[in-house]
Amino acid sequence: MTGIVKQGLSKVPEVVLSFWIIKILATTLGETGGDAVTMSMHLGYATGTVIFATIFMVAVAGQMRAARFNPYLYWLTIVATTTLGTTMADFADRSLGIGYAGGSFILALLLATSFAVWRWTEGSVSVNRVATPRTETFYWITILFSQTLGTALGDWMADSNGLGFGGGAVVFGAAIVLIAAAYYFTRISHVMLFWAAFILTRPLGATVGDLLDKPLAQGGLELSRMGASAVLIGAMLLLIVALPQRAGLHPAPQRIS
């Protein structure tokens, strides 16, 4: 049977419907959790960024040291990227005065650079190939940039274009539905469509999170940031338990003989 490529297990989950549901919950939690620390606890964007950057580095170190896919560790790391992305974007947009448009442009450039270097170095940016320390490093750097860009885009759409939080959520939700349709009914690269959907779930979560916790005068529901974050954490844990996730497959560089 020489010549049959063996399959190995990836360090990231299989991309199925439950993945996207939990991802959207995680991005929403990133918004409410980030705002809870920086606004409700009055720690500010800079301090919040330091706190979440520390959590992110510890989580990524644990993820990379793990011998196999662990759903709890993986989603903890994803939540760390969303909360850190929230505080980083808010710090750049508001504290540094770059603004939503300027922040989005810089982050889009950083994200494009990350993709380009990853593609040039590894030959592919497919998540099915995330199985070595180097590809994991590219994976998490790219995700961090995408989460930060998503926060800036969500705030820009909701605050600067008159759509409000609900309108922004509808726009980003519709864009994700179109990407899903393209996945099933066109021949557009599935890798490109995956990353497009992955990036857009962040501004969707950002606008939904803002809709939940922003004041009524600003178009939000003015729910407790702490309370909303606790509910989102509970929902994520319930789904992880109820919908067990498998590690994705990747082509291993060896053959069955």
Side-chain angles (χ1 to χ4, degrees):
M1 301 269 315
T2 302
I4 299 177
V5 178
K6 204 174 177 182
Q7 295 288 306
L9 292 177
S10 175
K11 296 282 290 294
V12 301
E14 182 182 23
V15 180
V16 293
L17 180 60
S18 60
F19 172 89
W20 293 113
I21 295 173
I22 298 173
K23 172 63 165 59
I24 292 171
L25 290 174
T27 59
T28 307
L29 173 59
E31 191 70 20
T32 59
D35 287 349
V37 170
T38 59
M39 298 180 183
S40 297
M41 297 176 66
H42 307 291
L43 294 180
Y45 299 125
T47 301
T49 296
V50 172
I51 292 171
F52 290 122
T54 302
I55 296 172
F56 169 71
M57 289 186 289
V58 171
V60 168
Q63 172 73 17
M64 295 184 70
R65 288 175 61 87
R68 61 183 63 87
F69 168 66
N70 181 312
Y72 298 98
L73 180 57
Y74 176 82
W75 287 111
L76 171 64
T77 311
I78 288 290
V79 170
T81 66
T82 63
T83 49
L84 178 56
T86 296
T87 55
M88 285 175 61
D90 287 344
F91 179 73
D93 296 342
R94 299 168 187 174
S95 296
L96 297 182
I98 295 175
Y100 297 133
S104 297
F105 175 78
I106 293 172
L107 290 165
L109 185 61
L110 289 172
L111 180 60
T113 301
S114 177
F115 275 127
V117 174
W118 184 2
R119 177 70 174 79
W120 178 76
T121 303
E122 299 295 321
S124 173
V125 296
S126 171
V127 295
N128 290 333
R129 297 180 179 272
V130 180
T132 66
R134 189 164 68 177
T135 54
E136 275 196 272
T137 300
F138 283 121
Y139 179 76
W140 290 112
I141 290 173
T142 301
I143 284 180
L144 179 59
F145 285 149
S146 75
Q147 306 283 39
T148 310
L149 171 62
T151 300
L153 285 175
D155 290 343
W156 188 16
M157 181 67 72
D159 293 346
S160 302
N161 292 291
L163 290 176
F165 306 122
V170 169
V171 168
F172 290 118
I176 292 172
V177 170
L178 290 176
I179 291 171
Y183 180 92
Y184 288 107
F185 300 113
T186 74
R187 295 185 178 181
I188 298 173
S189 166
H190 284 184
V191 173
M192 184 176 74
L193 291 173
F194 166 84
W195 282 111
F198 193 96
I199 292 167
L200 287 176
T201 56
R202 181 63 188 105
L204 173 61
T207 51
V208 172
D210 283 338
L211 178 65
L212 293 175
D213 65 25
K214 286 295 189 282
L216 293 173
Q218 297 179 22
L221 299 177
E222 205 166 352
L223 301 179
S224 162
R225 295 185 179 105
M226 297 290 188
S229 298
V231 170
L232 289 166
I233 291 171
M236 286 184 64
L237 290 174
L238 179 62
L239 287 175
I240 291 171
V241 172
L243 303 172
Q245 297 182 328
R246 300 178 298 181
L249 292 175
H250 72 86
Q254 57 189 113
R255 297 176 180 272
I256 300 174
S257 57

